[in-house]
Amino acid sequence: MDEQNLILRIQDLDVRFRIDRKSEPFQAVKGISFDIPTNTTVALVGESGSGKSVSAMAILGLLPENAIIAPASRILYGARDLTKAALPEMQAIRGKEISVIFQEPMTSLNPVFTVGEQIGEVLRLHMGMGMRQAQARVVELMNEVGIPNPQLRVNSYPHEMSGGQQQRVMIAMAIACEPKLLIADEPTTALDVTIQKQILDLIAGLQERHRMSMLFITHDLGVVGDIADSVVVMQNGVIQEQGPVKAIFESPQHPYTKALLACRPRLDRRPKRLPVIDDFIKGDGRPNLAERTRGTTPEDPIILEVKALNKTFFLKEGLFGKRAIPAVKDVSFRLPKGKTLGLVGESGSGKTTVGLTLMRLHDATSGEVLFEGRDLLALSEREMMAYRRRIQIIFQNPYASLNPRMTVGHILVEPMKIHAIGKDERERVDMAFRLLERVGLAPQSFYKYPHEFSGGQRQRIAIARCLTMKPDVLICDESVSALDVSVQAQVLNLLQDLQDEFGLSYIFISHDLAVVKYISDRVMVMNDGVIVEMADSDEIYRHPREEYTRKLLSSIPKGWQAAAQAT
Amino acid sequence: MSAVLTNPPPVPAQESPGLWTLAWRRLKQDPVGMVSLAIVAFFLLMMAAAATGLIAKDWSKEKGVSYANPSFLAGAENLEAKAMAARETSKAPPVDLSDIDPLAPRYKEWEERAAKIAVTEVKRAESLPFGGDKWGRDVLQKVVKGSEVSIFVGLAGALIATFIGTLLGAMAGYWGGRVNDLLEWFYNIFTSIPYILLILSFAAVAQATGSFGKGIFSIILILSLTGWTGIYRLIRAEYLKHASREYVKAAQAIGASNMQRMFVHILPNVSHVSLVQLSQHTVQFIKAEVILSFLGFGVPVDQVSWGTMLAEAQNELVIGKWWQLAAAGASMAILVTAFSLLTDSLRDALDPKLK
Amino acid sequence: MTAYVMRRLWQMIPTIFGVILLIFILFNWVGGDPAQVLAGKISNKEQIENIRRQLGVDQSYWVQLWVFVKQVFTFDFGRSWSTNEEVSRILITRVGPTLTIMIPVVFLETSLAVAFAIMVAYVRGTLTDRTIMIVCTVAMSISFLVYIIVFQWLFGFILGWFPVQGWSESFWKNLTNYAPLPIMLAVFVGLAPQLRLYRSFFLDEINQDYVRTARAKGVSEKKVMMKHVLRNAMIPILTNIGISLPGIFVGSFLLEVFFSIPGLGREIITAVNRSDFPVIKAVTGYLAVITMIVNLLVDVMYKFVDPRVSFK
């Protein structure tokens, strides 16, 4: 790492957003400073709302129109202060000396131009290349970023490519002019786990080969461990800690950094409770390391059994035809009472469809779901009502699963009314208050609307809603995937407490292997609608038998495991 | 678990605002929105007053001379009035038919009787506040009365159209399948025929046979039966979007019935779209009514509408009488502008896009 | 693609029948007995019966429906009830004048609206933008009737630049003499709503992620607008034009009435006034079919404009 030569120096960056005419502008970045040396990867880490993306976008002046950069801020690039540079000057730098890769490749690419045209645009603009010359170079670039058949793919449109390939196109656009600094804003967050690893390897390799610096923005510390040279940790618009990656991982100073490092579920240990940020800020920071054993035995009583479940979607095609898309193919499994069954897979594997079909939110094509001896799929809608209470689901998106027009109180009382729980309104309201307390929310929440709560709090409301019906089985469909790491830990702890207290049985669906291993007793791996492997969680991680399982396991960023040993 | 709470905490001092409260607050901060709201409210009050007969009752009385000047042009020349007056005074002397007229002997008796009854000779006004039309009717009163018709038709038509469109859109978007196919077929039929042509077809039948009822109810019916399609499309799209949202799946998971999902869960999330559509269609229908009345397919001849005023104004402009055109044109422009701006402000207040 | 077109044509059939049904219900059932109206002052029962028989409205509904269906498919709608001219001849001769006005209108209106919309979108948020939007709103609130009356008075009567009314046999004379004023009027009035609409299309596109990417590549603001945004905004703009295309055949009936242009629009108004059902039925039926075909053409053209669309 070159200490003398700096590519970029950020000093006292202060960014505010104008919301409307009356209110004070919202301060997203509160005066931060850090450096980016040459030929170095700096990771900018933080949870949502930390200001990391805003800081990065400020460098190239790509902030939205209502953003205000305070005059005291300086972004020094060579001799120039980019915050004060004129637009044409910035335009000459963008894409040529400093480039960006964004998080969502599908929407970041222009849908009406071919990928060849879009990559070529940078070359023609900054390098003055003619059409044919640019075309040749584009093919070279596409090869370098690992797109197969570049001569053919040059004429493809973005929507004709997969997410991973689209991101490769974005990368090709970014490195085309050999920039000195590459800003990567959560480039792998929207991709599948196995693809993530490929893209990360690609980016790391390119950085080395072209000797660029990189500013890598992410919320995932695991990724940081793999590729960063130095780390900057942000929270609420402020830098809490920064330093070389080894120092950050081995001897973190700030409680927030310690908390971030500790509250991710790990693959090698399974503490009874995941440490949360509060533990570090209020306590001494040494989490309780007592472990919990997990596993199943053949004698465990079974509460739910699924036999040969099939779900096929039909799309119209041709003049009169239909195309069959099988999403779930002959899935069978057993859920032991009081235990957690983890269901792991990438997007498109069919894992969410299994959950929805179990609950009859989708109509199954065939198969049986046996609950207390009765096949739920064979019941009429009215008979099913009696069982609806007993199997509930918590969805992935906390922002979409609560009706924005209903107060929390209404949301909680409604299921009780439908299932005639509680003898009158008073009793139901009482129960609602008790549940709010149980999930850790203030009693005032009863009168509030969902939009006043954060993601983690909304998931708690969703959990409380399920609990009003005293279910036996709870399906968690990617219920913590959309949450920040620290919040995730809190919700996972809550779910575990509830299982211990009420003897709930869980089906935990996720793409995140570390989380699944932590919370599950038994794990099923799904790929392309089929269960590839099923075993107790410790077993599956120590001795994976199938190739796909091994592939999934190897995609977990290793830097985390290696760096986290010392904590 | 803690003991049962017998006293739930009281409603917090700082209220939790719902959609409508928030929207109202936003609207209050929008000066353009508030001014438009005031203007629209003013017109609505005017309409109510006119409907109950409080004002503009005598719009059809021929109070003024022909083409009376407006007050601010009071002294100007009025050739037409003079011509009219001249015609009346230059009547030919009556022909004496007393020798063959059987009633002739009685005339003198009747004249004496008539003279005993006091007859108020109404002097026609030389000028009226906004001027007079060809028959000397007060333009100001006509404008006010005309607004009653136009606004009532616009509002009533829009209410019915919004109701139909929302209901059908909800059914098509939520149920899908056969219900959707049937409603889409229906929608396609109505939209294959260009809108104006559809209205004119209905108007033709209404005119020829009176099958749509009398007078303005006929126009209201025509406009609403042809104008529901836009609302249907939007509401259907909204229901399609919401029906696959997780909160609706969650409602299904807890056992809410289809009716509950459609109207208790989704409708409150969609009603703001209906409201904006209502506002927009009111504007559209007011404009349509004016044109229909102009062409003669609108209000019956014994009623006044801005459209009929414009029809009269068409011929008045060339002889320099511009006040009926200005009055009708301007009041309509003010109302429609205010309503359009109100629609925009409503839309922003209910669904603000983060700028 | 042939499969797609075939499927669409197949799907059109129920709609065409639906339109036929609607027209029939409206004119033959609801409006079933205009004989009284047409008979006018003749209250002789025998003569009314005679008229009924001539018009064919004395038959049962099923027979009438069958007759109508036959008429539709043989393109023979009989004769006008008022002028006794063959309806098909009426339609053919009136379309010309209407299109002479409407085609230039569509062309001019769209080009001007797109050009202005780009300019306004470029300066979005500024005072200019907001002023122009308010001016558009006010302009849209004034009734078309007022515009026509004022324009006719100003340009025809006072200034004498154009004839106030009239039409001739020569196409060229029409285009240069009689058409300009109505065309100008239509474009002037139609510009405001189109401008607002197209501006919203442009603004929707400007807020998209791909615009940020273009800026990140160093593309100038002007190029962002004229290349990246315009190309994407053309999709909804062309769709919008496509949807309004069938309307040009009815044209602006108000203009035709005011300017005495012998077009299809004026014909329809006259027919409505005289309760001349065959003419109205024919125009409605034909235009419905034209609308469906134009919609299909627009959807097919869509594929060439938006690469994301695929036919299944």
Side-chain angles (χ1 to χ4, degrees), chain B residues 185 188-189 192-193 196-197 201-202 204-205 207-209 211 287 291 294-295 297 314 317 332-333 336-337 340 344, chain C residues 14-15 18 26 30-31 37 137 140-141 143 145 149 153 196 253-254 258 268 272-273 275 280 284 287-288 291:
Chain B
W185 175 69
N188 282 329
I189 297 174
S192 298
I193 306 171
I196 325 145
L197 202 45
S201 300
F202 273 71
V205 173
Q207 240 216 350
T209 62
S211 341
K287 287 161 107 173
I291 293 186
F294 175 87
L295 291 170
F297 307 137
Q314 192 188 9
L317 200 57
M332 189 182 149
V336 172
T337 306
S340 302
D344 285 343
Chain C
T15 313
L26 203 51
V30 174
V37 180
T137 309
M140 280 162 65
S141 316
S143 177
L145 299 169
I149 295 174
W153 174 78
R196 273 175 64 113
F253 58 93
L254 282 176
F258 272 90
I268 297 169
V272 174
N273 264 317
S275 299
I280 309 174
T284 310
L287 281 183
T291 304

Side-chain angles (χ1 to χ4, degrees), chain A residues 36-269:
Chain A
I36 305 178
T38 46
N39 198 14
T40 314
T41 300
V42 174
L44 186 48
V45 178
E47 298 182 297
S48 49
S50 55
K52 56 192 195 299
S53 281
V54 174
S55 308
M57 292 298 117
I59 296 175
L60 278 182
L62 292 174
L63 292 168
E65 285 167 7
N66 62 335
I68 316 167
I69 301 185
S73 315
R74 306 211 314 195
I75 300 179
L76 299 167
Y77 176 63
R80 288 177 282 192
D81 179 1
L82 294 181
T83 59
K84 317 284 185 294
L87 191 53
E89 223 184 304
M90 289 304 293
Q91 286 168 348
I93 299 178
R94 290 177 189 163
K96 181 158 181 242
E97 298 173 42
I98 305 180
S99 341
V100 189
I101 315 172
F102 296 99
Q103 178 174 357
E104 298 272 358
M106 180 72 229
T107 54
S108 299
L109 291 171
N110 194 326
V112 300
F113 295 130
T114 61
V115 296
E117 279 176 317
Q118 296 190 54
I119 303 175
E121 188 176 20
V122 216
L123 292 169
R124 293 195 304 272
L125 186 62
H126 292 295
M127 317 279 272
M129 290 193 189
M131 287 290 278
R132 205 166 310 170
Q133 199 188 7
Q135 178 95 328
R137 181 87 184 99
V138 166
V139 171
E140 265 175 40
L141 282 166
M142 284 174 76
N143 213 1
E144 194 179 345
V145 298
I147 297 177
N149 283 325
Q151 278 94 340
L152 236 65
R153 289 310 229 162
V154 164
N155 296 318
S156 300
Y157 286 96
H159 69 277
E160 295 171 341
M161 301 176 113
S162 71
Q165 286 177 330
Q166 289 167 351
Q167 199 59 301
R168 290 174 198 270
V169 168
M170 292 257 0
I171 296 171
M173 276 197 314
I175 62 164
C177 303
E178 307 260 346
K180 299 204 194 83
L181 172 63
L182 175 64
I183 303 175
D185 188 0
E186 306 242 34
T188 56
T189 308
L191 303 172
D192 274 337
V193 166
T194 47
I195 310 287
Q196 267 189 34
K197 180 159 187 342
Q198 292 173 10
I199 300 292
L200 280 174
D201 287 343
L202 172 65
I203 296 180
L206 289 169
Q207 187 261 325
E208 243 185 75
R209 205 172 327 139
H210 294 264
R211 300 183 69 79
M212 321 180 274
S213 285
M214 188 154 60
L215 179 61
F216 196 96
I217 299 148
T218 180
H219 65 280
D220 187 352
L221 273 167
V223 162
V224 169
D226 261 352
I227 65 169
D229 297 311
S230 71
V231 181
V232 174
V233 179
M234 278 184 78
Q235 185 195 23
N236 283 331
V238 178
I239 292 184
Q240 301 290 32
E241 192 168 348
Q242 54 178 307
V245 63
K246 195 161 142 69
I248 295 282
F249 275 78
E250 287 183 3
S251 46
Q253 300 297 314
H254 195 278
Y256 180 70
T257 320
K258 293 188 201 171
L260 269 193
L261 285 167
C263 58
R264 269 219 22 115
R266 297 159 48 155
L267 288 172
D268 57 339
R269 274 195 235 144

Side-chain angles (χ1 to χ4, degrees), chain A residues 412-423:
Chain A
L412 292 178
V413 169
E414 188 189 11
M416 293 194 259
K417 268 206 264 230
I418 293 177
H419 294 279
I421 297 174
K423 50 179 195 310

